[in-house]
Structure formats: C-alpha cells, structure tokens
Amino acid sequence: MNLELIIESAQKYVNNSQKVRVITEKWVSDNMFCPRCGHTEIMHFENNRPVADFYCPVCKSQYELKSKNGTALNIINDGAYDTMIERIMSLDNPDFLFMSYNNTSWKVSSLFFVPKHFFTPSIIEKRKPLSPNARRAGWTGCSIKLSDIPLAGRIPIIENGIIIDKSDILRSVSVADALSISDINSRGWLLDIMCCIDLLNKTTFALSDMYLFEDILSKKHPDNHNVRAKIRQQLQILRNKGIIEFTSLGEYRRIIK
C-alpha cells in the first residue's frame, strides 16, 4: 500500500467535498484489497450508485467509503437519518471502510473496516434539522458514532500510518463474522455487552464488573426489566462464539479482543 493520496486526480473539480471524494476513492481503487476474501483489488461501482462505492469481483461483497480529515475517527457525518436507520434495520447495506487523512501532507492516516452487522440504531445520532430558510428545509442528517462500535467490529487496516499485515486483517474479519446476528434487537444487546467488556479494558473480569453497567444498559434497553439475566445470557453467547471463556464461577477471560 502507498499511503500517499493523488490530489491531481481531482484537478477538474471545484467543490472541496467532491475533490476529497474523488481523491480518496482513487486511493481505495489503487490500493485496497477485499477484506472479506482477500482478493487483491476491489472495483469502483459506476457513479451515483445509491448504496455502495466498491465491490469485490470475486466474493461480491460491497463497500461504502467514508473519509474525514484529521486523526480522530470517533464520529463521522453521514446522509439522511431516516435512510440510514432503514438500511440498518434491513441489513441491506454494504460493509464500511472509514478513512482518516491529512490534507496538508495528503497521506492516509488510518483506515479501518466495519462489517455491516456491527451497525445498530444506537450508533446513529440524529443531527439538527436544517433551518426553514435552508434550500432543503427540515432535512435531517445523521452521524455515525464509531466509538460506540465494539473493538472487534473496528478492524484496522492502517493504524496511525502503520499498515497492518493482510493475514491479520483477514483473521480479524473471520472472528467478526462469527458475531453476525440478523435480529436487530439481539444484535444490539450483544454489541452493547461487547462495548462494556471493552470499557473494562481487562483480560480477565468478573460478572460483578459487568453488573456495574446495569444502569447504562437499562437506559439503552428500557423494555427489558431483568438486565442482569440478559447480561449473563449475552456472556454465554460470547462464550459459545469463542470470544470469551469461563474460568470459574462468575469469572471470565477474553480470548479475542
């Protein structure tokens, strides 16, 4: 991979957002392999495709690219809120590539892959509607809160300017695929529990550690009135999927981060 962005590829464009889109998509076309099957390249769809930007000619996986200037990739602005929620609920959406770049050196800083099954409505934040005087008055956009996605679903390809080994990326994607759940409510619970485990930042932890998140989880899932039982259930699922293991009564160890 060459981390340099080719700014000359957008010379004919005037609008800055268009320039960035062309430059970053050019980089992906020239440098990116398929993070699902490992094929050496992914192809650019025809312009103005409503859902995805790229596809793999071998496994047919589809990808959408989101890019942002700067080093922080905690939150990314996206399109219409209702459209994004509809896409998430149907699971008929592509996987995502999130890129951060430096618009002074014009180099890629970070790039990571997020499988589509790591998206839930809770990570989509509704933005303030456009004012009545705006051309699209009342239009409501959204932001993707990447920091609310578990670490297992944020798979680094480039991290702080360092290119990750391809075999490590494919291995991480394989682990992430084991966490695929189609039911949106069940998926939300599992990913929320994984985020709680991430916040503990420990290799070994206790059930009592997880109970500390009871109030937070109750607010996120107000229809559930037995949160502690749900926590135990989700830990059992993570054990069955090989993400954690039980070491003794009420004690756990992370196998995969």
Side-chain angles (χ1 to χ4, degrees), residues 1-112:
M1 284 185 180
N2 183 347
L3 300 185
E4 293 187 3
L5 295 162
I6 303 174
I7 59 176
E8 291 80 10
S9 60
Q11 282 183 338
K12 67 178 183 178
Y13 295 91
V14 176
N15 181 275
N16 284 333
S17 63
Q18 284 184 317
K19 285 184 177 181
V20 169
R21 177 183 58 79
V22 170
I23 291 169
T24 54
E25 289 183 359
K26 167 69 173 171
W27 184 92
V28 170
S29 294
D30 290 347
N31 291 274
M32 193 58 208
F33 59 90
C34 176
R36 286 204 170 274
C37 74
H39 184 64
T40 54
E41 62 180 344
I42 55 177
M43 311 299 291
H44 200 295
F45 273 118
E46 66 275 11
N47 290 335
N48 300 317
R49 187 177 177 86
V51 177
D53 299 316
F54 300 91
Y55 68 96
C56 173
V58 175
C59 71
K60 309 305 179 184
S61 295
Q62 298 184 17
Y63 303 97
E64 184 170 338
L65 174 67
K66 299 293 180 184
S67 58
K68 180 180 181 181
N69 177 47
T71 57
L73 273 175
N74 296 322
I75 190 163
I76 293 268
N77 290 338
D78 198 58
Y81 174 81
D82 290 340
T83 301
M84 175 57 84
I85 294 298
E86 182 180 349
R87 287 170 64 184
I88 289 173
M89 296 297 287
S90 68
L91 246 190
D92 185 25
N93 59 307
D95 298 313
F96 278 81
L97 294 167
F98 292 97
M99 175 193 292
S100 66
Y101 62 92
N102 184 310
N103 67 357
T104 300
S105 64
W106 287 105
K107 288 186 176 181
V108 178
S109 305
S110 297
L111 178 72
F112 62 86

Side-chain angles (χ1 to χ4, degrees), residues 107-216:
K107 288 186 176 181
V108 178
S109 305
S110 297
L111 178 72
F112 62 86
F113 168 62
V114 178
K116 60 186 177 182
H117 60 269
F118 278 85
F119 278 73
T120 62
S122 65
I123 72 166
I124 307 301
E125 187 175 69
K126 182 182 290 188
R127 291 159 60 192
K128 186 178 179 181
L130 295 182
S131 70
N133 297 325
R135 182 170 58 87
R136 292 188 294 168
W139 183 87
T140 304
C142 70
S143 299
I144 304 171
K145 298 185 292 181
L146 301 178
S147 56
D148 285 358
I149 298 174
L151 292 175
R154 288 180 275 160
I155 300 167
I157 297 169
I158 299 169
E159 194 166 25
N160 298 321
I162 298 173
I163 301 169
I164 308 301
D165 186 84
K166 182 178 179 179
S167 61
D168 291 336
I169 296 167
L170 296 177
R171 190 178 305 113
S172 295
V173 173
S174 178
V175 171
D177 281 349
L179 295 164
S180 178
I181 296 177
S182 58
D183 179 76
I184 194 72
N185 184 59
S186 299
R187 191 191 332 157
W189 262 107
L190 190 66
L191 299 185
D192 285 343
I193 293 298
M194 291 183 67
C195 282
C196 292
I197 296 174
D198 288 342
L199 289 172
L200 291 175
N201 195 27
K202 297 191 291 186
T203 301
T204 60
F205 62 96
L207 185 58
S208 58
D209 293 324
M210 297 301 296
Y211 286 163
L212 296 176
F213 298 103
E214 185 175 4
D215 287 345
I216 294 173

